């Protein structure tokens, strides 16, 4: 009946330890309980997988900080109305 609010996906975050904007938080993702979130390097290596119940991505892979730069994301809402979101998120230190 009513359309769900769309996702607000930040295009950057700053996991530099200052306590501000440390993780990549997708607003309204909890409205899509079946959603899956993937983050890839520019070479196509998957470095993050999450769901609405996961901790948001903190810019690390295997415990190591990823370098400054843009990473490809795909958010599959698993909801026919909302579909799939794709774009890039940039880590800035």
């Amino acid at each position: 009946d009513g359309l769900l609010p769309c996702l607000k996906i930040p295009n950057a975050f700053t996991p530099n330890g200052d306590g501000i904007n440390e993780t990549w938080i997708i607003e309204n993702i909890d409205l899509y309980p079946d959603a899956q979130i993937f983050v890839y390097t520019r070479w196509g290596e998957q470095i993050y997988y999450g769901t609405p119940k996961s901790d948001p991505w903190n810019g690390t892979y295997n415990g190591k900080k990823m370098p400054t730069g843009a990473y490809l994301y795909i958010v599959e809402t698993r909801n026919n109305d909302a579909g799939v979101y794709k774009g890039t998120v940039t880590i800035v230190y």
Side-chain angles (χ1 to χ4, degrees):
D1 82 70
L3 282 176
L4 288 170
C6 64
L7 298 180
K8 290 195 176 86
I9 304 177
N11 61 5
F13 69 110
T14 56
N16 58 9
D18 68 358
I20 302 162
N21 208 14
E22 293 291 314
T23 56
W24 186 50
I25 296 173
I26 299 171
E27 275 185 60
N28 298 324
I29 191 72
D30 52 324
L31 300 174
Y32 301 94
D34 298 328
Q36 295 187 312
I37 304 151
F38 304 89
V39 179
Y40 302 91
T41 66
R42 68 183 72 198
W43 300 280
E45 181 184 10
Q46 184 179 314
I47 55 170
Y48 174 81
Y49 167 78
T51 67
K53 296 201 179 348
S54 306
D55 287 332
W57 188 40
N58 62 3
T60 64
Y61 175 60
N62 283 342
K64 295 192 185 93
K65 283 184 162 186
M66 295 302 291
T68 295
Y71 296 85
L72 177 70
Y73 69 77
I74 300 173
V75 179
E76 297 178 0
T77 63
R78 306 282 171 142
N79 174 300
N80 292 337
D81 297 330
V84 175
Y85 293 75
K86 294 180 182 179
T88 57
V89 57
T90 301
I91 292 178
V92 181
Y93 292 109

